[in-house]
Amino acid sequence: MSKISCMFKQVFSRCNTFVLTLLCIGSLDVLFSQTAPNWSSKFDHLDYGQIREVAETSGGDLYMAKNNNEYSLYAPPAILLYNHITEQIIDQSSASFTLNTITGIKLVGDSVLYISGLANYTGPVYNRVYKKNVNSSQWQQICQTDKDINCLEVYGNKLFIGGNFTNLNGSNFSYLATYDITTGVFDSVPQKLSHPVPNTAAVYCLKNNGTDLIVGGVFLNAGTDTLNSIALYNSSGWHSLNKGLQ
């Protein structure tokens, strides 16, 4: 039987008024699809590696961000497209795609893919975000930082980028940046995230719930607002989730 090991990141408030469970897909030998009432295995030929994250098209196909076993330098990661009708897998990687580890993937309007990840192990370490039209073979780098990029999410007409970076493309950002999908302009959110302990703050997860953007990580404040590591963000600004994590 194929082995599946999953990493769960769970965030609990001590107030017992809410529980947020964040699921991060970890190492997979085989990816499974659910067909009630049984599970049927797919993609046995993927062998060992990680399916870090998936992005689904409106038609039900899957773009899969695959990291290879132990992040081998000789087995770079790949973006794979799975056709749910033919069950064929097509490699979406190309020579213009330069990452050693993928940390996030997002699909916008069935037309543009965004991926983030680590670009080097042996020399200076860079984390980058790339984008690609789904009908093109060429990836375009849109930003770079020497710190971690942990997650991506689309909210409104912007791509939100979270990590522990304080600069992106040479400009100052505090752990969370936005990229306007229409204009290609980077910006920071109002009231930047902060933590009283230096070099501690980071954004680890982002989730669009259809109304708000849920932001989780290690931070205490956004401007003068106290958030305690978990918060909602929308057009009116930051909002705490109860008392956050205390």
Side-chain angles (χ1 to χ4, degrees):
M1 180 179 292
S2 299
K3 298 179 181 178
I4 301 179
S5 49
C6 296
M7 180 181 298
F8 289 86
K9 294 181 179 179
Q10 296 182 315
V11 183
F12 298 102
S13 82
R14 294 181 184 177
C15 302
N16 294 321
T17 54
F18 68 89
V19 177
L20 176 64
T21 303
L22 301 172
L23 169 63
C24 177
I25 298 176
S27 298
L28 297 180
D29 293 349
V30 178
L31 187 65
F32 285 78
S33 64
Q34 186 176 19
T35 53
N38 299 315
W39 289 85
S40 61
S41 64
K42 304 288 183 183
F43 322 138
D44 290 331
H45 59 288
L46 288 182
D47 299 320
Y48 294 97
Q50 282 191 339
I51 301 299
R52 168 72 186 204
E53 194 172 357
V54 297
E56 185 176 9
T57 70
S58 60
D61 296 337
L62 295 177
Y63 285 95
M64 304 181 291
K66 178 178 183 281
N67 289 322
N68 285 284
N69 195 38
E70 297 180 355
Y71 307 140
S72 170
L73 294 175
Y74 304 101
I79 300 297
L80 308 173
L81 173 61
Y82 169 69
N83 186 307
H84 76 288
I85 297 176
T86 65
E87 297 192 353
Q88 291 182 326
I89 296 178
I90 303 171
D91 194 332
Q92 299 289 296
S93 308
S94 71
S96 58
F97 171 100
T98 309
L99 293 174
N100 294 104
T101 304
I102 298 171
T103 59
I105 180 172
K106 290 298 169 186
L107 177 65
V108 178
D110 279 356
S111 60
V112 181
L113 274 174
Y114 292 89
I115 60 171
S116 61
L118 177 67
N120 202 349
Y121 279 138
T122 58
V125 175
Y126 297 106
N127 281 263
R128 294 170 177 163
V129 176
Y130 288 87
K131 75 173 183 178
K132 180 180 86 74
N133 187 292
V134 296
N135 296 318
S136 171
S137 62
Q138 297 299 307
W139 291 90
Q140 175 190 353
Q141 179 183 317
I142 63 171
C143 68
Q144 176 174 293
T145 178
D146 60 353
K147 299 294 184 180
D148 293 338
I149 294 177
N150 298 322
C151 49
L152 302 174
E153 183 60 289
V154 177
Y155 181 69
N157 67 329
K158 294 183 178 181
L159 178 74
F160 281 71
I161 304 168
N164 68 349
F165 51 82
T166 54
N167 74 83
L168 211 60
N169 287 346
S171 298
N172 292 329
F173 292 92
S174 294
Y175 323 113
L176 188 61
T178 67
Y179 172 80
D180 192 298
I181 294 170
T182 303
T183 65
V185 174
F186 282 91
D187 200 0
S188 56
V189 297
Q191 297 181 302
K192 296 180 179 180
L193 297 173
S194 63
H195 195 282
V197 179
N199 303 316
T200 298
V203 172
Y204 287 112
C205 52
L206 297 166
K207 177 62 178 178
N208 183 344
N209 69 2
T211 304
D212 306 298
L213 181 69
I214 304 172
V215 181
V218 180
F219 49 84
L220 183 62
N221 303 103
T224 59
D225 295 334
T226 300
L227 301 176
N228 287 327
S229 296
I230 183 76
L232 299 178
Y233 178 81
N234 55 36
S235 58
S236 62
W238 290 99
H239 308 275
S240 63
L241 274 173
N242 200 295
K243 295 181 180 180
L245 302 181
Q246 297 181 343

